[in-house]
Amino acid sequence: MFFYIAVFIILLLPILLDNSKFTKKNNIIYYLILPLFLCFGYMNGSDWRNYEIEFYEIDSFREVWGYGREKGYTLIGYFFKLIGLSFWHYAITIKLIGYYIFLTFYKKYSESNLFGLIFFLANFSLFLWLDHPARNFCAILVYLFSFKYIFEKSFVKYLLIIFLATFFHLSALFLLPVYFFNKSYSRNIYIILVIISVILFLTSYALLPYITSLFEPFFFFNRFDAYLNEMYIGKSMNVFRYSLNIFIIVLAIIKKKKFEIYKYGTLMLNLSIIYLLFFSIGNINVILFRFNLYYAIPFAILISYLFTIMHSLRKKIFKYAIIMISFLYMYQLITKDFRYIPYTNYLSFSFQAKPNYYYRSNYNYNNSPYSN
């Protein structure tokens, strides 16, 4: 628990000191301290167990293509294996590359305001880097490269990027319509969508059978169905987070004209509305929550714009509301089950023999006070 609280405080230091820009001092936090904590997590999380077995089982390109899931992550892993590197060299490299891609993307599109980045890292980094849904993670990274072609109005190139993302996770198919969202809509349309999101949030559990039926015709339904009974986080915490999201979106709609002054403001607002809609139903299970990860960074960028145009008093209230809710969410996430506590870091085993797979696989099960 100590590591998480310490990292959370370090993450917040710039805005607590009213320094919301990328500076040399702040860069030490975001370019060095945080990646050391997030990208080198070792026995935490859950998905790595299957990925490590897969990494060592596959011994030829034929086996890569014969594997029953998206091939991209497995194929890159096989190249790492061919040059003599271990699974953890591969996993950590992907996490590090991904971290700096996320950071570069945010810095480019956010006017270099740190507040949205802090929101994103406080709310999503533990899941993305420590629990690490690797294929979904890689698909999001590829998807981030597609934004350039939305603004350049190059649909063919956008299509190719999305097609490449599906080699890592099939959920990227649902990103095809995003290309057409870079245009301004009336406030009435935004308000209607917000009302729909409220209805979805209040009725999401009752709507679950109907949501299931929408996905049933698709070829990936069996994977979706396997996650239906696995909730991501407690419902009570989502009420607070959803209320904050509603507040942010409504404020952005009110200040819509100011957002449109920003070069990327219109698209970020539209994608944030999609984020809100997915958030409304994402609390009922893991797979729906993962759809929302594609829109989390645009929402964080929207927050950075909002923080820039706010008056000082509102800015302070906004800042402390996000800090409080993010901390409570982080606490509930890390105490929900075995995945996060105790925290272990790969670097701490640099000068000693690495524990075997069985020991690592069972370490958090056996030592976490939150094991089920």
Side-chain angles (χ1 to χ4, degrees), residues 287-328:
I287 199 70
L288 291 173
F289 168 80
R290 290 190 181 190
F291 273 105
N292 211 19
L293 294 171
Y294 291 107
Y295 305 101
I297 283 200
F299 184 63
I301 291 170
L302 183 85
I303 289 173
S304 75
Y305 294 159
L306 196 57
F307 192 72
T308 301
I309 64 179
M310 272 184 168
H311 298 297
S312 57
L313 179 60
R314 289 181 181 176
K315 191 178 289 188
K316 285 184 179 180
I317 296 170
F318 185 48
K319 176 170 71 175
Y320 288 112
I322 284 186
I323 289 172
M324 181 183 70
I325 291 175
S326 296
F327 178 78
L328 291 173

Side-chain angles (χ1 to χ4, degrees), residues 11 13 27 51-52 70 87 119 121 129 135 142 145 150 179 219 222 257 280 282-283 285 303 335-336 351:
L11 173 65
L13 278 178
N27 285 345
Y51 288 127
E52 183 169 351
E70 298 92 333
F87 168 76
F119 167 85
L121 292 173
W129 277 274
R135 292 177 300 109
V142 175
F145 287 97
I150 295 176
Y179 179 85
F219 56 91
N222 288 338
K257 289 185 179 179
S280 302
N283 64 308
N285 65 60
I303 289 173
T335 59
K336 175 177 177 279
F351 302 105

Side-chain angles (χ1 to χ4, degrees), residues 155-207:
F155 180 66
V156 173
K157 291 180 180 178
Y158 177 83
L159 199 63
L160 289 173
I161 294 292
I162 298 303
F163 180 68
L164 179 61
T166 64
F167 275 89
F168 294 94
H169 207 272
L170 287 170
S171 60
L173 283 171
F174 292 92
L175 299 171
L176 288 172
V178 168
Y179 179 85
F180 303 101
F181 293 160
N182 189 27
K183 61 179 181 178
S184 181
Y185 298 94
S186 71
R187 280 197 178 96
N188 290 337
I189 291 176
Y190 290 134
I191 291 168
I192 290 169
L193 290 172
V194 169
I195 292 170
I196 291 171
S197 82
V198 173
I199 294 170
L200 287 172
F201 184 77
L202 295 174
T203 61
S204 57
Y205 286 89
L207 290 173

